[in-house]
Amino acid sequence: MPPLIRPESLPAQPHLRHEAALWANGALWVAGIDEAGRGALAGPVAAAAVILPQMVESALGLEGVRDSKQMTPAQRETWAVVIRQTAVACGVGLASSQEIDAQGIVPATRLAAIRALAALGVCPDCLLLDYLHLPQVDLPQVSLVKGDRRSLSIAAASVLAKTSRDAILVVLDEAYPGYGFEAHKGYGTQAHLEALRNLGPSPVHRRSFAPICSPPT
């Protein structure tokens, strides 16, 4: 297992101090990894990996990047473009609802993260993860509690994972009308649960997740 770091308080914004410590220790490419859609009832789970240049935050121009949950959709879309332009490398990976049902959400999340690493195009020297461990990956790993609030690389990955997955749910809304995927992105809102009562699950719903595994009442 990687070391699990639990700082006492959250910083005002994510920073590069964890990355800088790894750079100083000889790691040239440090990949931040985060996921999106882990708790949704439908659609894939997405993960992203981002390697940022060895620079200080002010020089990177990513001062607006936060944990994606703290950003508006418009902010995420804007900063996703800047992240892709700034990063040394970035990649996104997915695991389908069928893979989630077959393997479980944690193994499927790891699978999406491994696919994101494969999409990087370069092999990182070390991984920074948000409360996750990839036992299949033979690389040094550091897991941070609330890593998307502490590490700029992880926060950047959270933005790419979220925007990539949201775009997929917009497409799924067209493929499976009536569920409102574009609005709730597959999460268990009241409107989504009502649609499930009326329509039943679609092919992209996670059959192993409650209440789909037992029909909503």
Side-chain angles (χ1 to χ4, degrees):
M1 290 286 291
L4 183 60
I5 299 177
R6 299 176 180 268
E8 293 182 358
S9 60
L10 291 172
Q13 62 188 68
H15 49 68
L16 288 172
R17 290 196 284 277
H18 297 288
E19 289 87 338
L22 295 169
W23 295 335
N25 203 35
L28 178 61
W29 305 131
V30 175
I33 297 175
D34 202 9
E35 55 76 26
R38 189 164 168 167
L41 302 182
V45 62
V50 175
I51 299 176
L52 295 177
Q54 294 191 26
M55 303 169 70
V56 297
E57 288 94 338
S58 59
L60 281 175
L62 297 178
E63 64 280 352
V65 174
R66 301 286 189 277
D67 165 15
S68 64
K69 296 183 291 296
Q70 296 182 307
M71 303 169 72
T72 67
Q75 288 171 335
R76 288 193 293 265
E77 292 294 337
T78 297
W79 285 104
V81 174
V82 180
I83 290 165
R84 291 183 182 277
Q85 293 172 340
T86 304
V88 172
C90 54
V92 174
L94 305 171
S96 69
S97 54
Q98 291 79 14
E99 289 172 319
I100 293 168
D101 289 338
Q103 301 182 28
I105 187 58
V106 173
T109 301
R110 288 172 173 154
L111 178 60
I114 290 169
R115 289 170 174 167
L117 286 171
L120 276 175
V122 299
C123 182
D125 300 305
C126 185
L127 308 181
L128 277 173
L129 305 105
D130 185 9
Y131 210 77
L132 185 67
H133 173 50
L134 304 179
Q136 308 95 322
V137 177
D138 188 21
L139 288 171
Q141 302 178 36
V142 177
S143 182
L144 303 175
V145 175
K146 296 189 180 296
D148 47 13
R149 300 281 298 275
R150 306 184 189 284
S151 159
L152 187 56
S153 297
I154 296 177
S158 79
V159 172
L160 294 192
K162 175 65 175 166
T163 53
S164 297
R165 186 180 182 279
D166 282 359
I168 291 169
L169 268 294
V170 171
V171 174
L172 291 178
D173 185 72
E174 297 178 0
Y176 304 103
Y179 293 98
F181 289 144
E182 182 173 1
H184 54 64
K185 305 302 187 291
Y187 287 92
T189 64
Q190 195 62 43
H192 189 183
L193 295 176
E194 183 63 27
L196 277 168
R197 291 187 188 97
N198 295 331
L199 302 174
S202 75
V204 295
H205 276 93
R206 302 174 185 179
R207 304 302 176 105
S208 58
F209 277 37
I212 299 166
C213 57
S214 56
T217 57

